[in-house]
Amino acid sequence: MNVWELHRRTARRIWPVLTATALAVGPIALCGPAAGQPPPMPTPFVTPATDHCPYKTQPRPPIDLSEVPRPGEPSPAPLPVPNRTVGGEKLAACGVVLPEGAPPPPADISATAWMVSDLDTGAVLAAKAPHGRYRPASTIKILLATVALRNLDLDKVVVGTQADADMEGTRVGIGPGGRYTNRQLLQALLMTSGNDAAHAIAAQFGGDEAAVAKMNDLAKSLRAFDTRAATPSGLDGPGMSTSAYDLSLLFREAMAIPLFAEIIGTEQVDFPGYPPNPAIPGDTDHPGFPIGNDNQLLYNYPGALGGKTGFTDDARQTFVAGAERDGRRLAVTLLQADVLPIRPWEQAARLLDYGFALDPALSVGQLPDDEPKPESEVTVLAAPPGEGVGNLAQAPSGNDHEQWRILAMIAALVLIPTGLLWTWHIRTRR
């Protein structure tokens, strides 16, 4: 581990402690106790307001040093914002987006952005800040899992390394010398959010950078233009972002893979152990152990299909899940949420109940289908006003394409007869 990485990991661990200490001690040190004053009344919970589009181009500034680029590397520019809103123009709104005549959404939703969609039809039923950009945390493992499921041999045995075991954050318990199939690594990745499993999977693509490149290529091909992975595991990194819309899109894509749907709906499986480490005197054998799914919605919501949880200090609570009721399958996503006033899975449950109660014939947008999209819709990207994203060439709009097509037809009608007449003239002269 190099010095830069050591400093970065240390900063990740101590920064939240220093911040919390400063917030707790600062007011007391500056003002002192107000003797004889009644305790302050608790502030009523209010869902974060996003109508003014605070995160249209990028997430809020980080609170720690997790997104500092490596020495010599520049900070990534914000992702371009598509000229045409993916999913429909109603989803360009940054506040709550509901079908006409729909009741207000549930109370006590602390998620800054959320979305409810139909897993089968792709209809967007309701949303808040659907294209606002937020950090995904471990929900980005859905994207890594999709890449792995489509490219890796699930029965291949992978030998655990010390680098896997040393991964920061949540770990399933991979040990050096342990033998794991890719199927078991995916179970650890999705059920217990193992960052060590993410590292072992990424290594098979050539390392973190290569795996992240594949993840971003897949996101772009699916038209998830708000999404950029910076790490395979979801640990915060420079330029990381997604949106409630994109996360719903990525989840729907993954749910089309039967093994993904099976894994996220599994409550418990057995995971292999690993042999003694010869570098540790007296180390003994490490037997296998059961691992459980950390998604509480799976245990507490009738019809739950499973999903993925996430948390970092910068991303806060993130969540994506699906459920089925009366033959109808819905998905819900939460970004930048907190555990108050209710936990994320409970917020998801309320939004799912809300979605199931809505008229299925009404929607506010659409997740992309599998049909080819016009070039103008896919490639027309503009730099957000005031953002230093460099000079992006303006691709022709849909109207420009139509004008060029008409001009090409006129030119063909003029040039082809002219060419034929010229050929006839030359032959006549000969």
Side-chain angles (χ1 to χ4, degrees):
M1 184 186 304
N2 58 39
V3 174
W4 177 87
E5 186 66 25
L6 180 62
H7 282 306
R8 186 179 180 187
R9 291 194 177 189
T10 303
R12 278 184 191 268
R13 294 186 175 99
I14 68 172
W15 192 270
V17 178
L18 294 176
T19 304
T21 304
L23 290 174
V25 175
I28 298 174
L30 291 174
C31 304
Q37 296 295 322
M41 295 295 292
T43 304
F45 172 79
V46 178
T47 298
T50 54
D51 297 73
H52 58 299
C53 300
Y55 310 121
K56 184 176 180 63
T57 62
Q58 58 187 334
R60 63 182 180 179
I63 64 171
D64 57 24
L65 304 179
S66 59
E67 298 186 18
V68 176
R70 293 178 179 273
E73 295 183 0
S75 295
L79 290 169
V81 177
N83 284 340
R84 182 182 299 179
T85 303
V86 181
E89 289 306 315
K90 289 184 179 179
L91 301 183
C94 299
V96 176
V97 187
L98 303 176
E100 185 176 354
D108 296 338
I109 305 299
S110 67
T112 310
W114 54 263
M115 196 169 104
V116 182
S117 58
D118 191 303
L119 271 172
D120 297 309
T121 68
V124 179
L125 308 181
K128 180 177 182 291
H131 280 291
R133 291 173 175 178
Y134 303 85
R135 296 173 181 86
S138 285
T139 58
I140 204 67
K141 288 184 170 86
I142 290 171
L143 190 54
L144 176 63
T146 305
V147 171
L149 284 163
R150 290 179 174 171
N151 292 279
L152 298 181
D153 177 0
L154 299 180
D155 295 321
K156 177 185 175 182
V157 175
V158 176
V159 179
T161 66
Q162 190 62 49
D164 299 332
D166 288 341
M167 277 301 296
E168 180 185 356
T170 307
R171 289 167 291 189
V172 66
I174 291 175
R179 298 174 63 83
Y180 314 94
T181 65
N182 278 321
R183 187 186 303 269
Q184 290 168 329
L185 292 177
L186 283 163
Q187 291 169 337
L189 180 81
L190 296 171
M191 293 174 61
T192 67
S193 203
N195 292 347
D196 47 358
H199 187 270
I201 291 170
Q204 298 178 68
F205 292 109
D208 285 3
E209 291 186 9
V212 165
K214 288 185 176 294
M215 294 163 68
N216 287 331
D217 286 345
L218 177 57
K220 185 177 180 181
S221 72
L222 296 172
R223 298 167 64 229
F225 296 139
D226 303 319
T227 297
R228 177 166 55 197
T231 63
S233 64
L235 287 172
D236 295 321
M240 180 92 84
S241 77
T242 192
S243 65
Y245 182 91
D246 281 11
L247 191 54
S248 302
L249 167 61
L250 298 176
F251 183 65
R252 185 182 183 222
E253 182 73 12
M255 284 293 286
I257 304 174
L259 184 56
F260 177 90
E262 176 188 322
I263 291 174
I264 66 166
T266 301
E267 294 185 3
Q268 182 175 298
V269 295
D270 291 326
F271 196 73
Y274 55 96
N277 188 342
I280 302 177
D283 191 32
T284 59
D285 189 52
H286 302 267
F289 51 91
I291 59 173
N293 199 311
D294 62 8
N295 178 9
Q296 290 300 310
L297 189 79
L298 186 63
Y299 307 102
N300 295 289
Y301 190 83
L305 300 172
K308 188 71 196 72
T309 61
F311 174 82
T312 67
D313 292 326
D314 276 328
R316 305 308 299 164
Q317 302 284 339
T318 62
F319 192 84
V320 57
E324 184 173 5
R325 182 180 299 174
D326 299 328
R328 191 180 179 201
R329 300 192 310 157
L330 300 186
V332 59
T333 61
L334 308 172
L335 289 170
Q336 198 173 300
D338 274 300
V339 295
L340 298 175
I342 54 178
R343 300 194 65 82
W345 75 264
E346 295 173 300
Q347 298 177 46
R350 291 194 181 186
L351 287 169
L352 284 168
D353 285 343
Y354 179 76
F356 281 120
L358 292 174
D359 184 346
L362 300 178
S363 67
V364 295
Q366 181 72 32
L367 294 173
D369 51 32
D370 296 329
E371 297 177 4
K373 294 296 177 290
E375 182 183 355
S376 59
E377 187 171 345
V378 175
T379 63
V380 178
L381 301 175
E387 296 288 353
V389 295
N391 296 322
L392 297 175
Q394 178 80 14
S397 67
N399 290 335
D400 291 335
H401 279 296
E402 183 65 16
Q403 292 173 5
W404 280 109
R405 189 175 69 84
I406 294 172
L407 288 173
M409 292 175 62
I410 294 173
L413 291 173
V414 172
L415 293 176
I416 291 174
T418 302
L420 292 174
L421 287 172
W422 179 253
T423 302
W424 174 82
H425 174 68
I426 294 298
R427 288 183 175 178
T428 303
R429 288 186 65 184
R430 288 179 179 175

